[in-house]
Amino acid sequence: MIRLNIKVFKNMVVLTLVGATSLFFVSCKGDSEAIVYLSDIKTTPGVTAYNSEVVYTEGGKVVLKVIAPETVYYQFADEPYTEFPKGITVYTYDNELKQESSLTANYAIYYEKKLLWQAKNNVVAKNRKGEQLYTEELYWDQNKRIIYTNVNVKINSVSGIIYGKGMIADENFDNWEVKEPYDGEFEVDQ
């Protein structure tokens, strides 16, 4: 019959666990993937894609195409989001697959639960009428089907150029309103 001293047994278990844990961390010291895995998973991307092109459909019809040099999906965040750190190009289409609008930006982020897109830095949006919006930040609320901003804008419209602060429009940028216009040049029919 083997007798074990409980105190000695506890010390052996603790030493074994400490030793195994130390070996684990020492063996992972040079392995950056293991270190990333052990960090906070909420801030670690689940998927990273390069040169991606994603097509969104509704009822089998293409409604949106998103092209990005880098797409990073944070699926484990409290509020999952997709980041486009190197810019984004977005095209929207009508039922006949004709392009309705386009948008480019140097940075974008999409909040999955809110259905909210944010484009930043050198944002340019164009509609089918040829009108162009220039701003540094633009939001697209998919629930409300609107785009908007609260920062400075420049719009090249069919009748002239308008400058202002803040803008709201339908999601295709067909019908828009500058909240606080402060300058512009317009052609007026007499």
Side-chain angles (χ1 to χ4, degrees):
M1 179 182 209
I2 300 173
R3 288 187 172 191
L4 290 175
N5 182 337
I6 296 295
K7 190 173 185 178
V8 171
F9 180 72
K10 283 183 183 178
N11 286 340
M12 285 176 44
V13 169
V14 169
L15 284 173
T16 303
L17 287 174
V18 169
T21 304
S22 298
L23 282 174
F24 175 74
F25 283 112
V26 168
S27 68
C28 292
K29 188 174 183 180
D31 187 357
S32 61
E33 285 185 33
I35 291 169
V36 169
Y37 182 75
L38 294 172
S39 67
D40 185 7
I41 195 161
K42 291 180 182 181
T43 60
T44 303
V47 176
T48 301
Y50 299 96
N51 300 316
S52 65
E53 183 174 310
V54 179
V55 176
Y56 294 88
T57 61
E58 286 180 4
K61 295 185 179 185
V62 174
V63 294
L64 182 75
K65 184 191 302 184
V66 177
I67 302 168
E70 184 176 349
T71 305
V72 185
Y73 181 41
Y74 293 86
Q75 67 204 52
F76 303 113
D78 289 335
E79 182 178 329
Y81 64 95
T82 303
E83 186 178 35
F84 305 90
K86 295 184 180 175
I88 191 170
T89 301
V90 178
Y91 299 102
T92 62
Y93 299 94
D94 64 13
N95 288 335
E96 281 98 43
L97 204 59
K98 292 181 184 172
Q99 184 179 317
E100 285 189 313
S101 62
S102 67
L103 177 136
T104 59
N106 293 341
Y107 174 87
I109 190 166
Y110 171 62
Y111 299 98
E112 192 174 290
K113 288 182 182 176
K114 294 179 186 176
L115 296 175
L116 181 68
W117 292 79
Q118 178 187 23
K120 291 172 56 173
N121 305 331
N122 197 26
V123 180
V124 179
K126 298 176 186 176
N127 65 17
R128 65 177 132 202
K129 295 186 270 184
E131 297 173 316
Q132 298 179 346
L133 163 69
Y134 300 90
T135 187
E136 287 301 308
E137 182 175 60
L138 189 67
Y139 293 90
W140 173 29
D141 186 327
Q142 287 182 275
N143 288 318
K144 295 179 182 176
R145 302 180 73 93
I146 60 170
I147 60 172
Y148 63 92
T149 186
N150 294 315
V151 301
N152 291 334
V153 297
K154 173 186 173 186
I155 297 177
N156 291 344
S157 73
V158 291
S159 59
I161 299 172
I162 186 168
Y163 297 89
K165 184 172 182 184
M167 186 271 324
I168 188 165
D170 60 19
E171 65 186 346
N172 294 319
F173 183 52
D174 281 335
N175 302 302
W176 51 267
E177 176 186 340
V178 175
K179 293 178 185 176
E180 297 175 32
Y182 55 77
D183 196 8
E185 301 171 10
F186 298 94
E187 292 180 16
V188 179
D189 292 333
Q190 296 194 13

